[in-house]
Amino acid sequence: MNKTEFNIRLYLSGVMESWTDRIDSTNQLTPQRFIFNAMTELFNSLSDDDLELIRLRYVERMTLSELSSRYLLNERTIRNHTNPTIKQVKDIIQQATEQSQHAREVD
């Protein structure tokens, strides 16, 4: 499981929120809090259908072929609905990683 899939699964299962709350007992924007806040904003902006496709693909681990059969859509259409969100999740994780590395360098 890669970092993107791991973070999506943590977020959609509700585990990320509880972990973030335990890690972040201060009001500072930790990398964990940054990821959680950015993913909340991202997932709240999705349509219910797109969010369901992401959930089925990354939490239920359905293949594109299975999703295609289930929703009577071609795989390309499913990718067009999910790939932009996945790219944004990757960018969020990358940004948090860079901020964390920069903070360590400053300390």
Side-chain angles (χ1 to χ4, degrees):
M1 179 180 326
N2 62 40
K3 285 192 277 187
T4 304
E5 182 178 353
F6 180 71
N7 278 279
I8 290 170
R9 291 174 67 105
L10 281 178
Y11 183 86
L12 292 177
S13 68
V15 172
M16 183 182 282
E17 182 174 18
S18 65
W19 280 3
T20 301
D21 289 344
R22 278 191 227 145
I23 291 169
D24 182 23
S25 59
T26 68
N27 287 328
Q28 292 182 339
L29 188 62
T30 62
Q32 295 84 2
R33 178 60 64 186
F34 174 83
I35 291 171
F36 177 75
N37 290 348
M39 287 181 71
T40 297
E41 185 176 325
L42 173 61
F43 287 133
N44 285 344
S45 74
L46 297 178
S47 71
D48 290 343
D49 291 339
D50 286 350
L51 186 57
E52 181 67 4
L53 287 174
I54 297 289
R55 190 187 68 71
L56 292 172
R57 181 90 169 100
Y58 290 92
V59 177
E60 302 298 326
R61 299 185 114 165
M62 290 180 73
T63 65
L64 288 172
S65 177
E66 291 169 331
L67 288 170
S68 177
S69 295
R70 183 177 193 163
Y71 289 102
L72 304 175
L73 298 168
N74 67 45
E75 291 182 19
R76 182 82 174 147
T77 300
I78 293 169
R79 273 194 214 98
N80 287 342
H81 283 271
T82 58
N83 283 358
T85 302
I86 301 313
K87 182 184 179 327
Q88 286 181 286
V89 170
K90 288 177 182 179
D91 292 345
I92 289 166
I93 294 166
Q94 179 64 35
Q95 192 173 356
T97 302
E98 289 170 0
Q99 287 176 354
S100 176
Q101 289 171 348
H102 177 71
R104 275 188 245 135
E105 291 170 3
V106 171
D107 289 341

